[in-house]
């Protein structure tokens, strides 16, 4: 028997798994915060995990979705790409680790 879907979404369910990842301690605080937010955002936006050709989520889209400064998001994204958490795809990004 299937359980009914929960009425409220519990954000932050990925936090424990991310914090046990070896790359977590190597990231700057802004990148840690962005990684947590991206995992929650990816639950609602499947194109962040598996973008179709030409429809990758861009840095400016992410800044808009998260109500963040674009320059701050760009710096945090660079650290996530360097640690192989995000992957550049077309003109945007794909979340590899969640």
């Amino acid at each position: 028997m299937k359980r009914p879907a929960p009425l409220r979404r519990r954000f932050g369910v990925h936090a424990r798994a991310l914090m046990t990842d070896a790359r977590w301690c190597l990231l700057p605080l802004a990148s840690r915060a962005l990684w947590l937010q991206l995992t929650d955002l990816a639950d609602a936006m499947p194109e962040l995990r598996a973008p179709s050709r030409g429809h990758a989520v861009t840095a400016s889209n992410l800044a808009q979705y998260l109500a963040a400064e674009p320059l701050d998001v760009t710096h945090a994204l660079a650290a996530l790409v360097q640690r192989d958490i995000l992957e550049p795809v077309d003109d945007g990004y794909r979340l590899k680790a969640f």
Side-chain angles (χ1 to χ4, degrees):
M1 185 162 132
K2 283 188 169 183
R3 289 185 0 200
L7 297 177
R8 284 187 59 199
R9 180 164 196 75
R10 197 180 93 205
F11 293 103
V13 294
H14 302 283
R16 197 170 297 200
L18 294 183
M19 290 179 192
T20 59
D21 192 304
R23 298 170 287 193
W24 179 260
C25 61
L26 302 173
L27 290 171
L29 289 177
S31 297
R32 289 179 186 186
L34 184 61
W35 192 9
L36 284 171
Q37 290 175 330
L38 289 177
T39 55
D40 285 340
L41 188 60
D43 287 341
M45 293 180 58
E47 61 269 18
L48 187 55
R49 291 184 182 169
S52 59
R53 189 165 202 67
H55 294 288
V57 181
T58 64
S60 60
N61 291 124
L62 291 174
Q64 184 180 11
Y65 297 149
L66 301 172
E69 291 293 326
L71 186 60
D72 295 338
V73 170
T74 303
H75 290 301
L77 287 174
L80 294 174
V81 169
Q82 182 182 16
R83 298 283 181 241
D84 205 32
I85 295 165
L86 281 178
E87 176 181 39
V89 175
D90 295 329
D91 61 341
Y93 296 95
R94 178 180 84 86
L95 183 63
K96 291 176 69 174
F98 45 88

